[in-house]
Amino acid sequence: MISSSKLKSVDFYRKIPRDLTEASLSGAGLSIIAALAMMFLFGMELSSYLAVNTTTTVIVDRSPDGEFLRIDFNMSFPALSCEFASVDVSDVLGTNRLNITKTVRKFSIDRNLVPTGTEFHSGPIPTVSKHGDDIEEDHVDGSVALSSRNFDSYSHQYPVLVVNFYAPWCYWSNRLKPSWEKTAKIIRERYDPEMDGRIVLGKVDCTEEVDLCRRHHIQGYPSIRVFRKGSDIKENQGHHDHESYYGERDTESLVAAMETYVANIPKEAHVLALEDKSNKTVDHTKRPAPMAGGCRIEGFVRVKRVPGSVVISARSGSHSFDPSQINVSHYVTQFSFGKKLSMKMLYEFKRLAPYIGGHHDRLAGQSYIVKHGDVNANVTIEHYLQLVKTELVSSRSSKELKLLEEYEYTAHSSLVHSFYVPVVKFHYEPSPMQVLVTEVPKSFSHFITNVCAIIGGVFTVAGILDSIFHNTLRLVKKVELGKNI
């Protein structure tokens, strides 16, 4: 057994009897200051310990080969109809996807970006193989020439009014003209407007009746619309609940389509204001006509991690477009790259946002408006985006843990005049390099060491200052006693 006297001999902290010590007012004041200094420095050290500490390096992009890049977007086009709005993707490797609909949604909006109805389910426009009769015959106009003066009277007089909105310069309109007039003549003979009055075929020259075509949101030629008596939605800003016909355009197909429109309408329908509710089956040759001239496009596409483009334009394989009448002005609500953040990732993003730049959606909230007119006709809007992948990882327990991955980009936009139909192009170019932000947490042992250094250092410095102050007072007293003697 080791005696207590031997243990006392290794005591580093030998005590001075309290009777031999003396308390002073200056020492008490200095002790209070030292305690406050310890608390302040301890708080600073704790804040530093809890703060995020990062190091930033630039390395070669380490994304796996074959990985796809997701692009999320939400844009509003006040003057581009959902009927023909198409989202296309292409890249330098030859990928070319047209009219993507599986992951894209479209909603009709007015010029003030206000939705005018539910989702516009356009789907892929059917391929029209018969654009008219193969042999042009001498024909007599059988359809009624409509204008802004007589259009409303015809649409309210007949249960079904089928209108061909055309342009004389349009190739497809000229292909359709013989079969359309022949169909109109046949339907007029079968359903005499005076005696039967269930259906009538009309035509509108959109180069002459610009306002009328604009009122019905005609942007492609020829556009065949089916107007049904009683289907106007008067309480909804005068919008129309009508159909667009996308079927074959030869005489036989057109006559068959007209027959289905009047199949279940009684002959007295031209007297009664009846709403047609006959055919509820899905017909891919007919779709709802756009309720407004604008469109909001939202969704996402997956692209290869190589330079490419996302193009939004008016597209159809069987319609013509007047470039001077197409306006692709747009508002960008979202245009971002990368995976959609989960709730956990969103929390990490908010926590680490000051350390990763915050340029993942540079185009959000931007508007690119071109006023309609001759000076601003045929304007294509192009955006050039340069992407840099930013990856944030944490080094804990000698292991690398990925916390967050996002793509930041710079954006430069320009307006280009051309003779072609205007489009919106988003050119993206991923960088071969990536930014690696590493979160390096401080070790707890380092924190404890610093705390001990703070306490011991402040205590020692305060003791030295107290000793200096006390010895100075003693020296001054001695000097004063020597003078008195």
Side-chain angles (χ1 to χ4, degrees):
M1 294 292 293
I2 301 175
S3 62
S4 60
S5 60
K6 289 183 178 181
L7 286 175
K8 290 181 180 180
S9 64
V10 296
D11 184 8
F12 294 158
Y13 310 102
R14 302 199 176 193
K15 312 302 185 294
I16 300 175
R18 180 174 291 273
D19 296 340
L20 301 178
T21 59
E22 179 183 359
S24 64
L25 189 60
S26 61
L30 195 58
S31 298
I32 294 174
I33 295 175
L36 293 176
M38 290 180 188
M39 293 175 61
F40 174 76
L41 294 176
F42 174 78
M44 295 287 289
E45 182 64 25
L46 181 62
S47 176
S48 176
Y49 174 72
L50 297 177
V52 177
N53 299 284
T54 61
T55 59
T56 303
T57 54
V58 178
I59 61 174
V60 175
D61 191 350
R62 53 185 184 181
S63 301
D65 186 28
E67 181 182 5
F68 284 86
L69 179 63
R70 173 171 168 148
I71 304 177
D72 287 270
F73 50 82
N74 186 335
M75 293 169 284
S76 299
F77 294 81
L80 179 63
S81 173
C82 287
E83 183 177 14
F84 299 110
S86 172
V87 179
D88 311 326
V89 171
S90 62
D91 60 39
V92 296
L93 296 181
T95 301
N96 192 20
R97 291 184 289 157
L98 304 178
N99 194 27
I100 299 174
T101 58
K102 188 175 182 180
T103 58
V104 176
R105 304 174 66 191
K106 294 187 286 187
F107 300 86
S108 293
I109 58 174
D110 61 19
R111 65 182 62 185
N112 298 317
L113 311 184
V114 178
T116 58
T118 58
E119 182 178 354
F120 185 86
H121 296 282
S122 59
I125 296 178
T127 302
V128 178
S129 58
K130 300 177 182 179
H131 299 278
D133 292 339
D134 295 332
I135 301 176
E136 286 195 23
E137 301 177 353
D138 293 337
H139 59 273
V140 178
D141 289 352
S143 60
V144 180
L146 301 175
S147 65
S148 56
R149 294 183 298 276
N150 63 358
F151 188 91
D152 289 338
S153 62
Y154 271 87
S155 63
H156 290 88
Q157 181 179 356
Y158 297 95
V160 179
L161 173 64
V162 187
V163 183
N164 172 24
F165 293 88
Y166 71 97
W169 53 262
C170 171
Y171 169 78
W172 302 115
S173 295
N174 292 327
R175 286 281 302 272
L176 171 65
K177 184 177 180 180
S179 57
W180 182 258
E181 298 299 342
K182 188 176 179 180
T183 300
K185 184 179 179 181
I186 294 174
I187 295 300
R188 179 178 288 272
E189 292 174 354
R190 294 183 182 179
Y191 306 96
D192 185 271
E194 300 296 333
M195 303 299 296
D196 190 297
R198 282 181 285 177
I199 185 173
V200 68
L201 274 65
K203 58 185 176 181
V204 176
D205 184 351
C206 287
T207 60
E208 297 290 339
E209 301 294 333
V210 177
D211 292 336
L212 178 60
C213 292
R214 189 173 297 168
R215 191 178 86 189
H216 292 286
H217 319 300
I218 305 299
Q219 294 185 358
Y221 311 108
S223 289
I224 301 176
R225 297 285 168 81
V226 183
F227 296 87
R228 299 181 185 276
K229 188 175 182 179
S231 62
D232 286 348
I233 307 175
K234 297 300 182 183
E235 66 274 11
N236 193 11
Q237 302 178 5
H239 296 142
H240 304 279
D241 184 18
H242 303 311
E243 298 172 0
S244 293
Y245 173 81
Y246 296 113
E248 304 294 352
R249 297 173 181 172
D250 61 296
T251 301
E252 182 180 355
S253 300
L254 287 172
V255 171
M258 302 305 131
E259 291 284 359
T260 61
Y261 295 151
V262 297
N264 296 322
I265 300 178
K267 289 186 178 182
E268 297 79 13
H270 70 286
V271 179
L272 303 175
L274 298 177
E275 179 180 357
D276 176 59
K277 298 181 180 178
S278 58
N279 189 8
K280 297 300 181 181
T281 60
V282 177
D283 188 347
H284 294 289
T285 64
K286 303 190 295 294
R287 292 200 183 95
M291 299 177 65
C295 188
R296 187 177 86 244
I297 303 175
E298 63 180 51
F300 69 91
V301 294
R302 288 188 175 92
V303 298
K304 297 178 181 179
R305 295 176 49 81
V306 294
S309 301
V310 176
V311 181
I312 298 176
S313 62
R315 178 178 296 280
S316 173
S318 55
H319 294 79
S320 298
F321 301 98
D322 183 357
S324 63
Q325 298 298 320
I326 300 296
N327 189 328
V328 291
S329 298
H330 57 281
Y331 297 85
V332 181
T333 303
Q334 179 190 14
F335 199 93
S336 59
F337 298 82
K339 299 177 183 178
K340 194 171 183 180
L341 298 179
S342 62
M343 292 301 295
K344 181 180 179 181
M345 298 291 282
L346 189 61
Y347 168 78
E348 291 290 340
F349 179 80
K350 292 180 179 179
R351 182 176 72 91
L352 301 169
Y355 306 95
I356 53 179
H359 296 110
H360 69 288
D361 198 355
R362 290 290 296 272
L363 291 177
Q366 301 296 319
S367 60
Y368 303 89
I369 304 301
V370 179
K371 294 184 178 179
H372 190 77
D374 295 335
V375 178
N376 294 318
N378 303 15
V379 175
T380 288
I381 304 176
E382 301 192 25
H383 305 280
Y384 298 88
L385 314 178
Q386 291 182 307
L387 282 70
V388 177
K389 179 181 178 181
T390 301
E391 188 174 323
L392 196 145
V393 300
S394 177
S395 298
R396 297 176 181 175
S397 302
S398 302
K399 293 183 180 180
E400 191 176 87
L401 175 65
K402 182 187 291 188
L403 296 180
L404 182 66
E405 178 183 296
E406 68 146 13
Y407 288 82
E408 298 180 275
Y409 64 88
T410 60
H412 303 279
S413 305
S414 65
L415 278 64
V416 181
H417 290 263
S418 69
F419 294 103
Y420 302 102
V421 176
V423 300
V424 176
K425 295 182 180 180
F426 295 87
H427 304 279
Y428 58 88
E429 183 177 352
S431 172
M433 310 300 290
Q434 78 169 61
V435 178
L436 182 63
V437 181
T438 305
E439 181 184 14
V440 185
K442 282 189 175 181
S443 64
F444 184 72
S445 60
H446 183 72
F447 169 71
I448 292 297
T449 301
N450 286 353
V451 169
C452 292
I454 288 172
I455 296 174
V458 172
F459 184 81
T460 302
V461 171
I464 293 173
L465 292 177
D466 181 66
S467 178
I468 292 174
F469 182 73
H470 184 69
N471 291 332
T472 301
L473 289 179
R474 289 176 56 189
L475 182 60
V476 171
K477 289 180 178 181
K478 286 183 179 181
V479 172
E480 290 180 351
L481 288 173
K483 287 183 179 180
N484 293 332
I485 294 174

